[in-house]
């Protein structure tokens, strides 16, 4: 039973006749034998030519083994074969189970049976076998009666001649009578066809069919009929129009018929179309039939700011091979509006497809918003979707993101956030991210200060992490001093644990008279699962340069300090350089000293170096002396050396000496003549 609800009629629901379904035939016995096994093998073979169906019968037995009812089934094939459980430990009867699928079951003698298969019939094979057996028995009996038949043959010849003459006369009379009857029958048939055609035309006119053209002809080729027409009708207030046509032929070869129709309807924004055709033929080869159709509808509607589009279509075909069909539907909606200074756009849609291979459906929605809210510029977007597939299962996803930025005085602020989630057969997966940042810049006196701060957060199935950062920079001038400073700090937490850091640095330099002074300092500290780590550095340096008479003097001095978890080191250094001219003497001198303290212990050093050159007549005198001293954990170390030479006319003579606390004194005299 197929229920159908008719629009506008609520008194009851129509109960239509649908397809009859037959259960499979299940056989259980000790052994089925080779015949059924061969039938099964036809459908698990790679040779398509072996795919032959069969007919069969189920006989119900009564008392004394007498058949009381016979059920026949058609177009069957063995779809399942279960062997026994081969268990040598059990003492049980081995039972085979065979399952047969078929296309019709009927009780013999109760009316017409379902159409039989065009394939070879099992019942026919049995009948042929029975006929062959009877023929063999008749042949045996005939052999014994050959002698009697020979005597009767002569008598039969005379009788046969008389019978032949009588048959000829009877045949002629029957032929003449048949011709007269055929003419009368043809006239009567043509008259009946004419009257039936008029009745059909009247019925079609009442049904709203226009341009109806029924044509029926009767001839040697059989009966041919053709009918077609256009129809227009108002169904439940909806105008429907279309065209129908049909053709049929009946002759000695069988019956063939085909029909087709199409229709259109329009109700407001909805437009629909449908078309169908069917054909059937009955001949000695069996019954063949097919029917197919398709329908579609679409609508475009504007409801305020919303534009809606929908369309749907369906196709189907039924023939001797089975039934196929598909259904498709689609709907979309779009809107755009101005809401409180925001431009909002949204779209939504859904699709569905189904056929004999499976079904697929999907639906989605997305929206965007952009505009200004107070001093803030805002952008946001979101979308979500879900799909359902008969093979791949159900999947769903959704995501959203937003951005905002604003300028408040000297400060710029931005914020971002996004999140997404998916779900499928592997589980649910998602993540979320958010961040905010601020930046400001201002002038305080002669100093420009810039500061930035921000925070971020992330969450997914692996865990959550968050971080915050801040940094500042100042640069300016305070009197003769140029200065700049930086500071930063941050912290984070996540699957790897918590971390934090902070650092600060500064620099200053100034020019005071002939002296340039600069200083640097920085410090930093970090903390994580390994512990707390920090370091600090500071340094100061001064450089001066001046002219005293004919002498130029340059001096430099500096100090540095470094500290971390390994220890502290400090050092101080100073050096001076002087050069000039005193009378005929050109001279220069250098001196340096320094000290440091650290994990290697204290250390100090001193260096001095002097050189002079004097021209006395043709003689040039050169003097070069130097000394070095250092103190460390190994003791005091000293070293001094000197070189004096005189040169005139390309000839040179001199002396060199060296004294060290770590070696014996050295000296030598040299000349080149």
């Amino acid at each position: 039973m197929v229920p159908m609800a008719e629009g506008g009629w609520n008194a009851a629901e129509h109960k239509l006749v649908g397809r009859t379904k037959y259960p499979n035939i299940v056989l259980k016995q000790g052994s089925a034998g080779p015949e059924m096994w061969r039938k099964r093998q036809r459908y698990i073979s790679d040779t398509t030519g072996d795919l032959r169906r069969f007919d069969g019968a189920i006989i119900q037995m009564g008392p004394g083994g007498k058949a009381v009812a016979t059920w026949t089934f058609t177009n069957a094939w063995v779809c399942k074969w279960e062997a026994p459980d081969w268990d040598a430990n059990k003492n049980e009867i081995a039972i085979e189970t065979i399952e047969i699928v078929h296309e019709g079951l009927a009780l013999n003698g109760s009316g017409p049976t379902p159409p039989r298969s065009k394939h070879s019939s099992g019942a026919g094979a049995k009948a042929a076998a029975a006929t062959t057996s009877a023929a063999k028995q008749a042949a045996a009996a005939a052999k014994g009666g050959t002698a009697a038949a020979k005597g009767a043959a002569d008598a039969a010849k005379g009788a046969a001649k008389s019978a032949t003459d009588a048959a000829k006369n009877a045949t002629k009379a029957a032929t003449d009578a048949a011709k007269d009857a055929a003419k009368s029958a043809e006239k009567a048939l043509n008259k009946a066809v004419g009257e039936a055609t008029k009745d059909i035309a009247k019925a079609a006119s009442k049904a709203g069919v226009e341009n109806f053209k029924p044509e029926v002809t009767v001839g040697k080729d059989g009966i041919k009929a053709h009918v077609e027409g256009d129809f227009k009708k108002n169904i439940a207030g909806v105008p429907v129009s279309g065209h129908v046509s049909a053709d049929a032929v009946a002759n000695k070869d069988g019956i063939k018929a085909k029909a087709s129709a199409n229709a259109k309807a329009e109700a407001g924004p909805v437009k629909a179309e449908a078309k169908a055709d069917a054909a059937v033929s009955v001949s000695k080869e069996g019954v063949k039939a097919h029917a197919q159709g398709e329908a579609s509808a679409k609508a475009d509607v504007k409801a305020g700011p919303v534009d809606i589009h929908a369309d749907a279509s369906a196709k189907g075909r039924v023939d001797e091979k089975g039934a196929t069909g598909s259904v498709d539907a689609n709907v979309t909606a779009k809107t755009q509006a101005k809401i409180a200074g925001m431009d909002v756009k949204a779209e939504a849609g859904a699709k569905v497809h189904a056929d004999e291979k499976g079904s697929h459906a999907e639906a989605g929605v997305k929206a965007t918003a952009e505009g200004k809210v107070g001093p803030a510029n805002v952008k946001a977007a979101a979308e979500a979707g879900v799909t359902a597939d008969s093979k791949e299962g159900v999947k769903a996803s959704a995501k959203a993101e937003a951005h905002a930025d604003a300028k408040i005085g000297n400060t710029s602020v931005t914020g971002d956030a996004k999140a997404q989630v998916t779900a499928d057969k592997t589980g649910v997966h998602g993540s979320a991210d958010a961040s905010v940042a601020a930046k400001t810049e201002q002038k305080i006196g002669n100093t420009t200060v810039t500061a930035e701060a921000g925070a971020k957060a992330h969450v997914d199935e692996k865990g959550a992490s968050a971080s915050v950062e801040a940094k500042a920079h100042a640069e300016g001038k305070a009197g003769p001093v140029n200065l700049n400073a930086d500071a930063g700090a941050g912290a984070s937490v996540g699957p790897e644990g918590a971390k934090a850091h902070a650092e600060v640095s500064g620099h200053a330099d100034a020019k005071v008279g002939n002296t340039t002074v600069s200083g640097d300092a920085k410090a930093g500290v970090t903390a994580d699962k390994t512990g707390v780590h920090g370091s600090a550095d500071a340094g100061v340096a001064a450089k001066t340069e001046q002219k005293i008479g004919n002498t130029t003097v340059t001096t430099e001095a500096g100090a540095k300090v470094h500290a971390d978890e390994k220890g502290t080191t400090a050092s101080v250094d100073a050096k001076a350089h002087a050069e000039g001219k005193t009378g005929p003497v050109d001279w220069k001198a250098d001196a340096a000293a320094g000290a440091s303290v650290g994990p290697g212990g204290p250390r100090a050093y001193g260096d001095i170096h002097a050189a002079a050159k004097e021209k006395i007549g043709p003689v040039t005198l050169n003097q070069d002396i130097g000394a070095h001293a250092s103190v460390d954990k190994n003791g005091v170390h000293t070293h001094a050396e000197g070189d004096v030479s005189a040169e005139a006319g390309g000839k040179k003579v001199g002396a060199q000496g060296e004294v060290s606390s770590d070696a014996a004194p050295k000296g030598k005299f040299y000349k080149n003549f």
Side-chain angles (χ1 to χ4, degrees), residues 174-428:
T175 301
D176 295 339
K179 289 181 179 179
D180 295 337
K183 291 180 180 179
S184 300
E186 184 175 355
K187 291 180 179 179
L189 181 61
N190 287 329
K191 182 178 180 182
V193 167
E195 293 177 354
T197 301
K198 293 179 181 178
D199 294 338
I200 294 173
K202 291 179 181 179
S205 178
K206 290 181 179 180
V209 179
E210 301 175 354
N211 301 322
F212 188 69
K213 301 175 182 177
E215 298 177 3
V216 180
T217 59
V218 180
K220 295 181 180 180
D221 296 334
I223 301 175
K224 296 182 180 180
H226 170 76
V227 61
E228 67 175 293
D230 300 319
F231 65 88
K232 290 183 180 180
K233 197 167 186 180
N234 195 302
I235 302 175
V238 178
V240 180
S241 62
H243 181 80
V244 294
S245 65
D247 290 276
V249 176
N251 52 33
K252 63 181 180 179
D253 295 328
I255 300 173
K256 294 182 180 180
K258 63 179 181 179
S260 64
N262 61 72
K264 294 181 180 181
E266 185 171 347
V270 180
K271 297 179 181 179
E273 295 184 9
K275 59 181 179 180
D277 64 83
V280 62
S281 65
V282 181
S283 65
K284 60 183 179 180
E285 295 180 355
V287 179
K288 294 182 179 180
H290 84 268
Q292 62 186 18
E294 60 183 82
S296 63
K298 65 179 180 178
D300 291 284
V301 180
K302 188 167 184 68
V306 182
D307 295 320
I308 302 173
H309 170 79
D311 59 77
S313 63
K315 298 179 181 179
R317 177 182 173 88
V318 179
D319 56 24
E320 61 271 17
K321 296 179 180 179
T324 60
S326 65
V327 177
D328 290 274
N330 173 54
V331 60
T332 59
K334 295 181 180 180
T335 184
Q336 183 173 351
K338 190 88 169 177
I339 303 174
M342 300 285 289
D343 292 321
V344 180
K345 297 179 182 179
E347 296 182 26
K351 294 181 180 180
V352 177
H353 172 79
D355 56 26
E356 62 272 15
K357 298 178 181 178
S359 60
H360 177 85
E362 61 183 69
V365 60
K366 62 180 179 180
T368 61
E370 184 173 353
K372 196 171 181 66
V373 180
N377 300 306
V378 180
K379 292 182 181 180
E383 61 180 85
V386 62
T387 62
D389 191 276
S390 56
K391 297 178 180 178
E392 298 181 359
V394 179
K395 298 179 181 179
S397 65
K399 63 180 180 179
E401 59 183 52
H403 169 81
D405 59 77
K407 181 83 170 176
I408 303 173
N410 296 322
T411 304
S412 299
V413 181
T414 61
D416 290 277
K418 64 179 180 179
Q420 61 181 16
V421 63
T422 61
D424 54 26
K425 59 185 177 182
T426 64
V428 180

Side-chain angles (χ1 to χ4, degrees), residues 467-541:
S467 64
V468 60
E469 298 281 340
K471 60 181 179 179
H473 174 76
E475 186 172 347
K477 191 173 181 68
V481 181
N482 300 307
L483 59 88
N484 59 67
D486 290 279
S492 65
V493 61
E496 297 181 357
K499 297 179 182 180
H501 70 90
E503 55 271 337
V504 62
S505 64
H507 170 81
D509 60 74
K511 181 84 170 177
V512 182
N514 295 323
T515 303
T516 301
V517 181
S518 64
D520 290 277
K522 64 179 180 178
V525 63
T526 61
D528 54 25
K529 61 184 178 181
T530 64
V532 180
H533 312 280
S535 65
D537 292 273
V540 63

Side-chain angles (χ1 to χ4, degrees), residues 518-584:
S518 64
D520 290 277
K522 64 179 180 178
V525 63
T526 61
D528 54 25
K529 61 184 178 181
T530 64
V532 180
H533 312 280
S535 65
D537 292 273
V540 63
K543 183 177 181 180
T544 184
E545 183 176 342
Q546 58 182 327
K547 189 85 169 177
I548 304 173
N550 293 326
T551 302
T552 301
V553 180
T554 303
T555 59
E556 295 182 34
K560 295 180 180 180
V561 177
H562 173 78
D564 56 24
E565 60 264 31
K566 297 178 181 179
T568 303
T569 61
S571 64
V572 60
D573 289 279
K575 61 182 179 179
H577 174 77
E579 64 178 282
K581 189 173 181 69
T582 304

